[in-house]
Amino acid sequence: HRDLHSFPTRRSSDLKNIKMKYLVCFDGSQESHNAVHYVEKFAKKTGDDKDIIVIFSAYYRTYKSPQFEPGGLAPAYTPPSDGWLKEEKRRRLAIAKHCAKIAIDQLKAAGFDEANIQPCLVEVDEIREAVMQTLEKEKIDAVVVGSRGHGVLKRAFLGSLSNYLAHHAAIPVIIAKGLKSEHTPPAAAPQEKK
């Protein structure tokens, strides 16, 4: 993998003297840990031009299921209560916050200043467009993703987020594969008891 600061994407001057703003897509999967490992290795963590790291952690919007019409082919179905929807949204947000904290703690352990790490918790319907909108809103210079995700990032669509961004993002897209961290990743979010 090439150091992002060697990419001649912004200007002909030396990019090593430019503060970069990375978006790291993180869902707690091993693949998304690779993205954090990339930033650990290549982002600037010292000096006046320390890079800014934005941790993107998504959770899905909660909807009421549709009410089937009586006499239809499908049996009548009662949508979940408003209380259930509120609690489910709270649960999903808590998991997204926990994932972001894992990535933030890992970067702090690697020597990054917490003031230069920003969590970005996003409620989404479709992960790819949410990432694209975040790139523009946060004025991101480069996005870092794992080769594929086994959590939120994989369930969202057919195909891979990394492939989509590589074809649609107007900024450098770094696809991190198999990078090893010098720091042990914190434990993953506990599974919901059934």
Side-chain angles (χ1 to χ4, degrees), residues 21 120 131-140:
K21 191 172 186 180
C120 180
V131 172
M132 293 291 288
Q133 291 168 12
T134 301
L135 296 180
E136 183 174 351
K137 179 182 176 183
E138 297 290 336
K139 297 180 172 29
I140 299 297

Side-chain angles (χ1 to χ4, degrees), residues 48-171:
D48 294 333
D49 59 346
K50 291 184 293 238
D51 292 328
I52 303 294
I53 315 300
V54 179
I55 304 296
F56 180 92
S57 183
Y59 63 102
Y60 284 109
R61 198 178 310 279
T62 309
Y63 293 101
K64 281 194 173 184
S65 298
Q67 177 72 52
F68 293 114
E69 292 294 330
L73 294 177
Y77 175 76
T78 303
S81 67
D82 290 339
W84 181 90
L85 290 169
K86 183 177 180 181
E87 176 59 22
E88 179 64 10
K89 179 176 180 177
R90 183 208 63 77
R91 186 187 71 83
R92 294 180 186 190
L93 175 59
I95 291 172
K97 285 181 177 178
H98 182 80
C99 282
K101 185 177 185 304
I102 288 173
I104 290 169
D105 287 349
Q106 188 170 317
L107 289 171
K108 285 167 58 181
F112 286 85
D113 188 339
E114 188 171 7
N116 289 73
I117 310 170
Q118 304 171 3
C120 180
L121 306 174
V122 182
E123 187 177 35
V124 303
D125 294 308
E126 209 285 327
I127 194 81
R128 295 173 295 185
E129 286 307 313
V131 172
M132 293 291 288
Q133 291 168 12
T134 301
L135 296 180
E136 183 174 351
K137 179 182 176 183
E138 297 290 336
K139 297 180 172 29
I140 299 297
D141 295 307
V143 57
V144 188
V145 294
S147 57
R148 56 184 180 147
H150 290 308
V152 151
L153 299 181
K154 185 175 183 182
R155 290 197 305 269
F157 52 89
L158 296 174
S160 81
L161 176 63
S162 55
N163 185 61
Y164 181 86
L165 292 175
H167 287 88
H168 294 87
I171 60 174

Side-chain angles (χ1 to χ4, degrees), residues 1 31 34-35 38 145-148 162 174-180:
H1 295 284
E31 287 77 15
N34 290 339
Y38 180 94
V145 294
S147 57
R148 56 184 180 147
S162 55
I174 295 98
I175 300 172
K177 298 181 181 180
L179 294 177
K180 301 297 182 184

